[in-house]
Amino acid sequence: MLTSRTFLKRTRAGAVRKIVREHYLRDDISCGVAACPLCGEGEEEEEEGRGAGRPFLEAQPGGAASSLCPEPHYLLPDTNLLLHQIDILEDPVIRNVIILQTVLQEVRGRSAPVYKRIKDVITNKEKHFYSFTNEHHKDTYIEQEQGENPNDRNDRAIRVAVKWYNEHLRKLQTEEKIQVILLTNDRKNKERAVEEGITAYTCEEYIKSLIANPELVDRLASLNDEGNEIETGRIIFAEHLPLSKLQQGIKSNLYLQGTFRANRDNYLEATVWVHGDGEEREIIIHGLRNLNRAVHEDIVAVELLRKDAWVAPSAVVLLDDENPNEDDVEQEEEKENSLKSSASNRMLRPTGRVVGIIKRNWRPFCGMLAKSQIKEARRHLFTPADRRIPRVRIETRQASTLEGQRIIVAIDGWPRNSRYPNGHFVKNLGAAGDKETETEVLLLEHDVPHQPFSQAVLSFLPQMPWSITEEDVKCREDLRHLCVCSVDPPGCTDIDDALHCRELESGNLEVGVHIADVSHFIRPGNALDQESSKRGTTVYLCEKRIDMVPELLSSNLCSLRSDVDRLAFSCIWEMTPNAEILKTRFTKSIINSKASLTYAEAQMKIDSTNMSDDITTSLRGLNRLAKVLKKRRIDNGALTLSSPEVRFHMDSETHDPIDLQTKELKETNSMVEEFMLLANISVAQKIYEEFSEHALLRKHPAPPPSNYDILVKAAKSKGLEIKTDSAKALADSLDSAELPSFPYLNTLLRILATRCMMQAVYFCSGMDTDFHHYGLASPIYTHFTSPIRRYADIIVHRLLAVAIGADCTYPDLTDKHKLAELCNNLNYRHKMAQYAQRASVAFHTQLFFKNKGVVNEEAYILFVRKNAIVVLIPKYGLEGTVFFDEKDKPRPALLYNDEIPSLTVEGTTFYTFDKVKVNIMLDASNVQHQKIRMALVEPKISGSNVPGQATQVSSKNAPVKKKKKLGK
């Protein structure tokens, strides 16, 4: 049956056009009830095996028993209920649910994350959710009536579908009457449904009626939004302006739009990054009322304050972890006033206040419950693991059970009269401190996709046993005769690169970098490719690796292990003995690695006086050339920076860390790094030459001059000058910044210089003009050498393969907008992977000190704050913040000097890079956040209680444990 749909559309010129589209209606759409005799399709499909992958409603709906509706029933939610109560619908207790096409289409337009979640639930056969295409069923399709708005039309379509289902089910000859219940929180929709004889309940009514599942009430989203809230008590926050006013204000430059970034070290301060006109502006938001209920990563509208109200960024560390059940706004105002201090006009920054929220970026948050002190209380505060997120007030009857557990909570809303947002309990992850639980928390908190690979993804892996075919041999260069070897960290199983070096008859040298040909196994657009693209990178935790590609590829077929034939993509140079490149060529190849060495084993071969086999000769040639390449790079202005990296030694039985050491780098680390850098640069030049508009490249922007202030001041305090006019000037300054009496100073300066740098990012060449890599002093750069663990490298392999005629192109590869979108995801995934790795190191550091007990160690001051010093302990690569003003203790006399910078505590002055001695221990007294605490041992501060000077390890600056090779 054919009908038509008519709607009006306004063109860019402002004219209104009438559009008529054909709309097909059918009478053979199944109701979705398994083996329904009236539809017939379900039974036939199951017999033929065609319905095996399609979810059906159970013929006799089971599930939770309801006191409101004791007879068997199916549930049918409307759009708003699905949007706000998705956590309820995902619960295993809720089964046999009909999701209408009308509802799905509305959800898709309003919330992509919820749409994805409900689609995943529909595909879960155990849940028995059924998607019914009511908009194409001849008995359930309805036209929009004159004067009826789209929302009312959709509500009516939902009620029509419920009535059709109930009439359809009455015709079934079943022992018990089965009905469809409409779930809606819309008061008007519910009233009309009841008038039309439909059984309808609110979500809360239905969930509270479930006899055996009272715990499900905790997962109900509280819907007291601003418009409906009963304003009892004091109004704390200003009302958010409506979106229409915000858009007008942004257009007229009255307001600015930007991303809200909460301050991890000071909960009463945040910054808003305003994007526009090709540059970023930073606006400070200072004080609880000016923050106005914005949450980290929200898109907000801000109004700039008058210049006389501008403030300088606060140097005070202020954590919201006192009195977890207090709602004392006066106390917050006192803290705000304490942050304000006289600052020179040069230090003042544009300051504003949040006037409205353009887009919320709420997600489920991991953390712990701070149980209320009031007996039998149902309202409690939840403390998120991420300090940038405010505490959330939730209602739960399970407080005693959830105490001491890591849980997930979702935010539902933030009324104007509440110090904290309201939310609801989602899931219990397990006991705090448990290794598995804490790993799950850090993966969830950093949005690391870590679910097992689906069958759809695994179905695109090669069948085992796998071997290289005749076809592969025909279209590849056979390099199995070459003395190729790999050099990696100990225990590495995902070996993506191997090298060779041999002398040619001409006296020149042939050097090859051979990279695993992952793109041969992962073809564009299939489920395996899509999953790898979504993950973006392999994530290395202290005891675990979250692979980007399935293990069959990462640790077997793509891993360039020794003594097996492997497919590779090779970059081969002819060089003079002085490392001048004469020729460069790229080829798909077959290799057979002659040795899989660790950095230490390779170093031993190079240093040995009685070894002269082919592998050793090759390694020595590579090492000699690498030294020349490195010197040339540094002469051109490449930076040599420093970051404290640590390695844990694990107990073989308990898997707890038993030793913690800073990682020692060998010559062979640098050797591999130089050739990886050279390969990446050579490939970048080639793909840009061929695809000037859609090459995937990597750049490292030069930091703004203000980034170097802390480094310049710190060096000046030691009588040294650091020039930052260019990368070359900075590199030369760092090389000459040495004091014979303080050998570790140069390392500290390089660590500080690393903190001044911008993040390196992927970009599409057709969407940018600045290609320069500041840190490497290279005009162009990309990533080619690690396709097992980086998706960017797979795209670069595909581009290079097309450039040399080894593979064919596909539409997305030459679409610069798609490529730019992919780069955004890859940059996000890489950033999150780094944070997850740091969090893993921080957690294992806590485990190490838990077992080790109390120790005294030497430390150096990295930063000076108004009320604290940040110290680095070289032995453990460990960083922490020593506080000098603590709650319930007399406040010492503190004098902060920003110009030098220095902090004087009771007459003792601390400068950046000063050496101190600290006492380290694990403090488990606060179950919410266990932390490493330190007491200042030397120098002693008069009149101060030394054990009370505590510190907490900063997870954001915790050292990174890298299993990857440097510079790749």
Side-chain angles (χ1 to χ4, degrees):
M1 180 180 168
L2 182 65
T3 184
S4 60
R5 298 183 74 173
T6 306
F7 56 95
L8 302 175
K9 184 180 179 182
R10 190 181 292 276
T11 65
R12 283 184 182 178
V16 176
R17 290 176 59 195
K18 184 178 180 181
I19 295 175
V20 180
R21 291 221 173 117
E22 291 181 342
H23 188 77
Y24 289 89
L25 300 180
R26 296 168 52 178
D27 59 3
D28 61 346
I29 295 172
S30 168
C31 68
V33 176
C36 173
L38 299 174
C39 300
E41 185 187 67
E43 193 169 10
E44 287 167 23
E45 283 196 359
E46 293 210 341
E47 281 173 11
E48 293 170 23
R50 287 185 289 127
R54 186 179 174 187
F56 279 98
L57 301 165
E58 289 177 297
Q60 280 298 311
S66 165
S67 58
L68 278 175
C69 187
E71 58 272 2
H73 56 271
Y74 303 114
L75 299 174
L76 194 151
D78 71 359
T79 307
N80 280 324
L81 191 132
L82 201 153
L83 281 166
H84 296 115
Q85 304 290 357
I86 183 67
D87 289 324
I88 289 283
L89 294 173
E90 285 177 329
D91 194 280
V93 169
I94 305 299
R95 292 162 49 199
N96 290 296
V97 178
I98 300 159
I99 306 291
L100 297 181
Q101 181 188 2
T102 306
V103 171
L104 267 182
Q105 285 172 346
E106 275 197 280
V107 169
R108 186 178 191 176
R110 288 170 63 180
S111 174
V114 173
Y115 178 74
K116 185 186 180 306
R117 286 169 72 181
I118 195 63
K119 289 290 280 184
D120 288 344
V121 174
I122 291 169
T123 56
N124 180 353
K125 290 187 211 172
E126 292 174 8
K127 290 279 286 171
H128 297 286
F129 273 50
Y130 180 72
S131 175
F132 178 61
T133 47
N134 63 307
E135 295 290 353
H136 288 277
H137 194 292
K138 71 177 183 64
D139 295 328
T140 57
Y141 171 74
I142 61 164
E143 296 277 0
Q144 187 172 337
E145 293 174 352
Q146 199 167 358
E148 187 178 44
N149 65 40
N151 189 52
D152 288 344
R153 180 262 169 205
N154 288 344
D155 284 349
R156 188 162 59 86
I158 292 167
R159 295 195 300 272
V160 166
V162 176
K163 281 195 279 190
W164 177 85
Y165 257 104
N166 281 326
E167 286 166 17
H168 183 77
L169 293 173
R170 273 191 214 110
K171 296 172 188 172
L172 297 177
Q173 302 299 313
T174 54
E175 292 175 16
E176 290 185 274
K177 179 190 165 192
I178 302 173
Q179 66 169 325
V180 172
I181 294 174
L182 173 63
L183 292 184
T184 176
N185 285 336
D186 184 325
R187 185 173 48 82
K188 235 192 319 185
N189 194 21
K190 187 187 171 193
E191 285 171 0
R192 286 187 179 167
V194 172
E195 283 170 15
E196 293 170 18
I198 296 169
T199 305
Y201 301 117
T202 65
C203 190
E204 188 174 352
E205 287 170 344
Y206 181 77
I207 295 303
K208 285 184 175 177
S209 79
L210 300 182
I211 300 159
N213 304 93
E215 77 286 348
L216 213 53
V217 174
D218 290 355
R219 300 190 70 178
L220 282 167
S222 57
L223 298 175
N224 290 354
D225 53 63
E226 249 181 48
N228 301 328
E229 78 190 44
I230 302 164
E231 294 184 348
T232 56
R234 179 178 171 189
I235 299 298
I236 303 169
F237 300 103
E239 192 171 352
H240 286 150
L241 297 178
L243 194 58
S244 56
K245 280 194 178 176
L246 295 178
Q247 287 168 338
Q248 285 171 10
I250 290 164
K251 205 171 181 181
S252 63
N253 291 324
L254 179 62
Y255 307 131
L256 298 166
Q257 177 179 325
T259 306
F260 183 88
R261 301 267 166 80
N263 186 330
R264 196 189 301 266
D265 295 325
N266 185 341
Y267 72 97
L268 292 175
E269 189 174 278
T271 52
V272 172
W273 285 87
V274 178
H275 312 276
D277 304 325
E279 60 173 349
E280 283 190 344
R281 289 175 62 192
E282 187 184 47
I283 294 167
I284 291 176
I285 312 293
H286 182 92
L288 191 66
R289 285 188 168 84
N290 289 338
L291 295 171
N292 198 6
R293 297 170 287 157
V295 175
H296 184 63
E297 293 291 345
D298 282 351
I299 307 297
V300 300
V302 294
E303 180 182 43
L304 275 179
L305 301 177
R306 297 189 320 272
K307 282 201 172 183
D308 60 3
W310 286 11
V311 299
S314 170
V316 172
V317 179
L318 197 60
L319 305 176
D320 185 19
D321 55 5
E322 298 171 9
N323 305 320
N325 289 300
E326 283 194 11
D327 220 343
D328 192 342
V329 179
E330 281 78 7
Q331 193 179 359
E332 305 292 1
E333 287 170 353
E334 281 175 31
K335 288 180 185 175
E336 282 171 33
N337 293 330
S338 74
L339 296 181
K340 294 175 184 173
S341 60
S342 56
S344 62
N345 288 333
R346 191 175 56 81
M347 295 296 294
L348 297 178
R349 297 282 184 270
T351 308
R353 67 185 185 96
V354 174
V355 293
I357 309 293
I358 292 163
K359 186 187 175 190
R360 286 290 191 192
N361 200 34
W362 293 344
R363 59 177 174 81
F365 299 105
C366 300
M368 295 182 72
L369 195 71
K371 192 180 170 189
S372 172
Q373 304 298 320
I374 304 165
K375 200 177 176 186
E376 303 297 322
R378 285 193 185 174
R379 301 186 83 196
H380 309 271
L381 279 181
F382 161 82
T383 304
D386 186 343
R387 288 193 178 274
R388 294 169 300 187
I389 307 300
R391 285 182 285 191
V392 183
R393 187 172 277 118
I394 68 167
E395 284 195 32
T396 177
R397 306 165 189 223
Q398 308 174 65
S400 300
T401 310
L402 297 178
E403 201 174 11
Q405 302 286 300
R406 289 284 188 189
I407 63 173
I408 297 178
V409 160
I411 297 177
D412 300 323
W414 197 339
R416 292 171 61 201
N417 59 345
S418 173
R419 166 71 179 82
Y420 298 110
N422 295 329
H424 65 275
F425 166 74
V426 176
K427 187 181 179 184
N428 184 356
L429 295 172
D434 174 74
K435 228 183 296 186
E436 288 298 317
T437 302
E438 295 300 336
T439 301
E440 179 74 7
V441 167
L442 73 87
L443 291 172
L444 288 168
E445 275 299 291
H446 296 100
D447 195 16
V448 174
H450 59 286
Q451 67 281 3
F453 289 100
S454 69
Q455 280 307 311
V457 168
L458 298 175
S459 67
F460 285 97
L461 292 174
Q463 295 295 311
M464 296 299 286
W466 174 86
S467 61
I468 293 171
T469 64
E470 284 298 318
E471 190 61 34
D472 292 328
V473 175
K474 278 181 197 170
C475 57
R476 287 174 181 268
E477 194 170 337
D478 193 338
L479 303 178
R480 285 176 282 192
H481 61 285
L482 293 177
C483 186
V484 171
C485 69
S486 62
V487 185
D488 290 278
C492 181
T493 60
D494 52 342
I495 303 170
D496 11 35
D497 55 84
L499 301 133
H500 89 270
C501 176
R502 63 173 179 168
E503 194 171 337
L504 301 173
E505 289 178 5
S506 62
N508 291 328
L509 297 163
E510 179 189 85
V511 177
V513 166
H514 311 277
I515 306 299
D517 191 3
V518 182
S519 61
H520 172 84
F521 297 97
I522 301 180
R523 303 307 296 163
N526 67 25
L528 177 56
D529 183 48
Q530 288 170 8
E531 182 65 23
S532 306
S533 165
K534 177 187 153 194
R535 294 185 179 219
T537 179
T538 292
V539 181
Y540 294 95
L541 306 181
C542 291
E543 276 193 277
K544 196 174 186 178
R545 190 179 78 200
I546 312 296
D547 281 325
M548 181 185 80
V549 300
E551 193 177 12
L552 179 65
L553 297 183
S554 66
S555 296
N556 188 348
L557 302 184
C558 292
S559 185
L560 305 182
R561 301 184 302 190
S562 55
D563 302 320
V564 287
D565 292 349
R566 286 290 178 257
L567 302 180
F569 209 150
S570 300
C571 173
I572 300 170
W573 304 276
E574 183 179 336
M575 292 183 179
T576 66
N578 197 32
E580 298 288 347
I581 298 171
L582 304 174
K583 287 181 193 169
T584 306
R585 67 187 183 92
F586 308 97
T587 180
K588 291 262 187 169
S589 61
I590 303 172
I591 65 165
N592 186 299
S593 173
K594 303 300 181 278
S596 300
L597 305 172
T598 64
Y599 290 118
E601 288 167 347
Q603 191 67 53
M604 191 178 69
K605 280 180 175 290
I606 291 168
D607 295 341
S608 173
T609 52
N610 54 7
M611 293 183 82
S612 57
D613 56 275
D614 289 347
I615 292 171
T616 304
T617 305
S618 177
L619 287 169
R620 284 176 183 150
L622 289 165
N623 197 39
R624 192 168 55 250
L625 290 168
K627 288 176 181 176
V628 179
L629 290 168
K630 185 171 185 176
K631 184 180 182 303
R632 193 175 297 151
R633 247 186 349 101
I634 290 169
D635 289 345
N636 287 337
L639 296 172
T640 307
L641 300 177
S642 183
S643 175
E645 296 183 35
V646 299
R647 173 177 286 125
F648 291 95
H649 295 276
M650 302 292 184
D651 185 289
S652 57
E653 291 182 10
T654 64
H655 298 286
D656 284 343
I658 51 175
D659 196 10
L660 174 60
Q661 296 174 339
T662 47
K663 195 184 287 185
E664 182 192 344
L665 298 180
K666 301 185 183 295
E667 259 187 15
T668 44
N669 290 80
S670 179
M671 175 189 81
V672 173
E673 178 186 8
E674 287 307 316
F675 286 107
M676 297 305 115
L677 294 175
L678 187 61
N680 287 334
I681 291 167
S682 298
V683 170
Q685 290 165 343
K686 179 68 177 176
I687 62 172
Y688 180 62
E689 188 183 295
E690 292 289 330
F691 306 106
S692 60
E693 284 293 296
H694 40 84
L696 191 154
L697 302 175
R698 187 163 175 83
K699 67 173 181 175
H700 183 211
S706 59
N707 276 29
Y708 289 121
D709 286 353
I710 188 76
L711 174 67
V712 172
K713 285 179 184 177
K716 195 176 177 183
S717 72
K718 295 296 177 192
L720 299 169
E721 186 185 7
I722 298 288
K723 293 182 179 174
T724 60
D725 312 342
S726 65
K728 175 77 173 137
L730 176 61
D732 292 345
S733 297
L734 289 170
D735 285 342
S736 59
E738 290 186 350
L739 291 178
S741 60
F742 190 179
Y744 195 64
L745 175 64
N746 191 262
T747 303
L748 287 169
L749 284 167
R750 290 181 193 276
I751 289 170
L752 216 51
T754 307
R755 304 288 168 86
C756 301
M757 294 297 128
M758 304 292 282
Q759 189 79 28
V761 290
Y762 296 111
F763 69 101
C764 172
S765 60
M767 305 290 276
D768 211 328
T769 52
D770 175 22
F771 293 8
H772 190 73
H773 196 293
Y774 180 80
L776 296 174
S778 175
I780 194 166
Y781 192 66
T782 193
H783 271 164
F784 164 75
T785 53
S786 294
I788 293 177
R789 62 181 178 84
R790 289 188 307 229
Y791 187 77
D793 302 53
I794 293 178
I795 295 295
V796 170
H797 276 228
R798 289 173 182 169
L799 288 165
L800 184 61
V802 175
I804 65 170
D807 206 343
C808 52
T809 187
Y810 59 96
D812 282 5
L813 194 66
T814 52
D815 184 331
K816 63 182 183 181
H817 297 287
K818 287 265 177 73
L819 207 56
E821 201 178 299
L822 173 67
C823 287
N824 288 338
N825 179 57
L826 295 179
N827 291 330
Y828 171 72
R829 293 294 179 203
H830 276 260
K831 182 174 71 175
M832 289 296 107
Q834 279 185 321
Y835 292 163
Q837 286 162 202
R838 292 174 191 178
S840 180
V841 169
F843 173 64
H844 279 77
T845 304
Q846 287 179 13
L847 288 179
F848 171 69
F849 283 105
K850 183 180 180 180
N851 297 330
K852 191 170 182 67
V854 181
V855 292
N856 287 350
E857 290 296 342
E858 286 183 345
Y860 293 96
I861 297 174
L862 271 186
F863 304 102
V864 175
R865 305 286 188 225
K866 279 185 181 176
N867 63 338
I869 54 172
V870 178
V871 298
L872 173 75
I873 300 160
K875 182 176 177 181
Y876 299 126
L878 187 63
E879 195 174 312
T881 308
V882 178
F883 294 102
F884 291 107
D885 59 338
E886 288 197 275
K887 191 189 170 207
D888 301 331
K889 289 189 180 155
R891 182 184 170 92
L894 300 174
L895 182 63
Y896 176 69
N897 184 336
D898 179 60
E899 291 300 317
I900 298 187
S902 68
L903 176 67
T904 304
V905 185
E906 293 290 340
T908 302
T909 303
F910 296 94
Y911 298 93
T912 307
F913 302 147
D914 276 1
K915 194 178 192 177
V916 294
K917 186 173 265 191
V918 291
N919 175 279
I920 316 165
M921 62 175 288
L922 177 72
D923 176 13
S925 60
N926 182 347
V927 187
Q928 294 291 347
H929 286 104
Q930 289 193 21
K931 50 199 172 192
I932 304 291
R933 296 182 75 87
M934 301 177 197
L936 196 65
V937 177
E938 290 175 13
K940 284 187 165 54
I941 294 173
S942 59
S944 174
N945 184 356
V946 173
Q949 291 159 11
T951 193
Q952 154 205 338
V953 170
S954 164
S955 60
K956 73 172 176 187
N957 291 327
V960 185
K961 171 178 178 271
K962 296 181 184 173
K963 289 192 180 177
K964 61 188 179 187
K965 292 182 271 291
L966 289 170
K968 288 171 68 177

